[in-house]
Amino acid sequence: MTRDSKALAIVTNYGAEQDELLVPLRHLRDDGVQVDIAAVEQDDIRTLVGDKDPGETVRPTHTLGEVDAADYDLLLIPGGTINADTLRLQDEAVELVRAFSGTGRPIAAICHGPWLLAEAGVADGKRLTSYPSLRTDLTNAGAAWTDEPLVEDDSGGWPLVTSRNPGDLEAFIRGIDAALRRAVPAGGRAG
């Protein structure tokens, strides 16, 4: 990981699980990584805690349609049931996942975030974890689902980091850090 690394978090404007977005975001920024947040609209992002209680409000830096995957070294997909279910219906989000996996750059998805991997058709052949209720969906998409705090899979030409829930954030952050250290810089930047 270099101080000029760039990460992109993608969310909808309502329902992202607060800590699954903000804990990795703050950690990365504290380590000198530039982190942009792309949402469906330029309006504030209203996070939730436990899918029901209001969380912090966050301002996106871009909309999903304004970002270019080629500008980033890592894609972060936080969970939140509402967020993930809505995000997988956004064509721009699906295309961003395909772009990252297609160029070998890491994707980190937690909790319900891996739903987007299934929607994008990139879960096939990957070993991963998620919130337990996604097990059947991800298995049907061709993934090998397991119940572990952190699963790292570099198969298929691109790294995937997954965790189950906010209780796994410490392990998830370790996985993100490791993936960024191994990542080939986006856009040809020197690492």
Side-chain angles (χ1 to χ4, degrees), residues 24-38:
L25 180 141
R26 290 175 179 148
H27 168 79
L28 289 167
R29 286 182 175 162
D30 287 348
D31 277 357
V33 175
Q34 178 186 328
V35 183
D36 287 338
I37 306 169

Side-chain angles (χ1 to χ4, degrees), residues 84-179:
D85 193 38
T86 306
L87 193 61
R88 66 188 178 140
L89 299 175
Q90 304 300 315
D91 291 340
E92 296 93 344
V94 171
E95 288 307 316
L96 284 166
V97 169
R98 289 179 181 150
F100 269 84
S101 66
T103 57
R105 284 171 289 137
I107 297 174
I110 187 169
C111 199
H112 286 80
W115 249 344
L116 190 52
L117 304 173
E119 191 65 35
V122 301
D124 191 25
K126 295 300 262 188
R127 183 174 175 273
L128 53 72
T129 194
S130 68
Y131 193 76
S133 66
L134 274 63
R135 178 182 185 161
T136 300
D137 291 345
L138 292 167
T139 301
N140 287 340
W145 189 91
T146 185
D147 185 14
E148 297 175 33
L150 174 68
V151 177
E152 299 167 285
D153 184 337
D154 289 342
S155 69
W158 60 280
L160 176 63
V161 176
T162 54
S163 288
R164 303 170 298 190
N165 57 54
D168 296 337
L169 278 166
E170 187 176 314
F172 187 59
I173 287 170
R174 279 195 317 271
I176 289 171
D177 287 347

